[in-house]
Amino acid sequence: MATTASVSPAVDGDGSGPAARDFALGLDIGGTKLAAGVVDATGRVHSFALEPSRGEEGPEAVLARLFDLGTRAVAESGLAWSDIGRVGIGCGGPLDVARGVVLSPPHLPGWVDVPVTALAEQAYGRPAVLDNDGTAAAAAEHRYGAGTGTRNLVYLTISTGVGGGIVIDGRLYRGSMGNGGELGHVTTDCNGRRCHGCGRLGCLEAYVSGTSIAERAQEALAERGRDSMLAAIDEPTAADVAAAARAGDALAQEVWDGTTAALACGLTSIVNLFEPELVVLGGGVTRSGDQLLEPVRQAVGTTAMSPAGRSAGIVLSALGEQVGVVGAAAIAFEQVSSKPAA
Ligand SMILES: [Zn+2]
């Protein structure tokens, strides 16, 4: 059954908006993992399924697995398909949000102009919507997570890459074509490291992504790493670097300090720009918890302009690894009418 998404800025409160018995299927296309889950309009997750992305297999194979994962998530939720009114999809940019097309994101090499929304509508027979994954995560934390009740919020995901999302005056900010909020590409050193995401020099992502932390550790090891405990690990990851720093390894601590300094530098600019009540940090690298948060809080609190910039809270995501599917569902509740088109 062919359907067409009915997209409007917001459907809350006009009678067709979400209620507690409204369910959406949320799909998340990450660089490392695909995720799917059934989420209701209060943000409760009724099922959650994950599998490796293997983006190099190309869009056709990956989307077939993603849609199967979604079908599995619906089966595991115990709900009937007739309960699922809409589908939301989050993916890293650049995207054409209005047409529901993935343009050519750096985390999915070879994906060029993939009409993800149309393919999802074909697969599931109900309206779907695509949005930037950082924007979707910001929506999730704002509606259901750490940022409930705030009006101005910034979300930063620190993972394979670094993404972001912005809520201004209670509404998601998307920019002119849906690609705004790329906070990972705020410059922290205009003569700095090459950014794998956008190719420029010195982006926040080029220092604090899991990929960059691992790379910087490798470089430091090659230069002067004989005494480091990381030398015994074949390809140390960001988590290995964090663990070795906690264990007192000097080289790992140096790499970690470079990470928190770059994050604090980027966040200071972001806080000065938006004066958010809250900065929410998510993504794999934030599993290090206070080891990341404490030095960053302290530095931003000292360096951001006063008064309000310095009072911005910096907290971890409340939704953890489910933030992507909850966000995709939040976008679907915001933007898609649950009524399938004739
Ligand atoms: Zn960049």
Side-chain angles (χ1 to χ4, degrees), residues 157-163 205 208-211:
T157 179
I158 312 173
S159 180
T160 318
V162 178
E205 175 169 308
V208 308
S209 70
T211 318

Side-chain angles (χ1 to χ4, degrees), residues 83-227:
D83 294 321
I84 314 291
R86 38 194 140 196
V87 179
I89 308 158
C91 184
L95 313 171
D96 183 331
V97 165
R99 292 194 303 130
V101 174
V102 171
L103 296 177
S104 56
H107 71 298
L108 297 168
W111 289 48
V112 179
D113 297 338
V114 182
V116 169
T117 297
L119 293 168
E121 290 182 345
Q122 226 168 46
Y124 296 123
R126 55 222 345 104
V129 68
L130 173 72
D131 212 332
N132 178 278
D133 53 2
T135 303
E141 292 292 343
H142 181 244
R143 269 190 181 222
Y144 309 122
T148 314
T150 60
R151 288 190 58 76
N152 296 286
L153 172 149
V154 169
Y155 178 86
L156 204 65
T157 179
I158 312 173
S159 180
T160 318
V162 178
I166 301 161
V167 174
I168 297 175
D169 287 337
R171 296 184 71 89
L172 287 170
Y173 177 79
R174 290 188 170 83
S176 320
M177 294 182 63
N179 293 300
E182 285 288 1
L183 302 176
H185 305 284
V186 164
T187 303
T188 60
D189 177 356
C190 65
N191 298 308
R193 297 173 65 82
R194 181 75 61 190
C195 173
H196 297 314
C198 76
R200 288 171 63 241
L201 296 181
C203 292
L204 183 56
E205 175 169 308
Y207 294 88
V208 308
S209 70
T211 318
S212 164
I213 296 169
E215 271 179 15
R216 288 186 297 109
Q218 288 281 20
E219 290 164 11
L221 281 169
E223 268 176 30
R224 55 189 186 286
R226 255 172 251 139
D227 300 332

Side-chain angles (χ1 to χ4, degrees), residues 277-296:
E277 292 146 83
L278 201 63
V279 175
V280 183
L281 304 180
V285 172
T286 64
R287 280 191 211 117
S288 51
D290 284 345
Q291 190 183 5
L292 186 79
L293 270 188
E294 285 307 327
V296 169

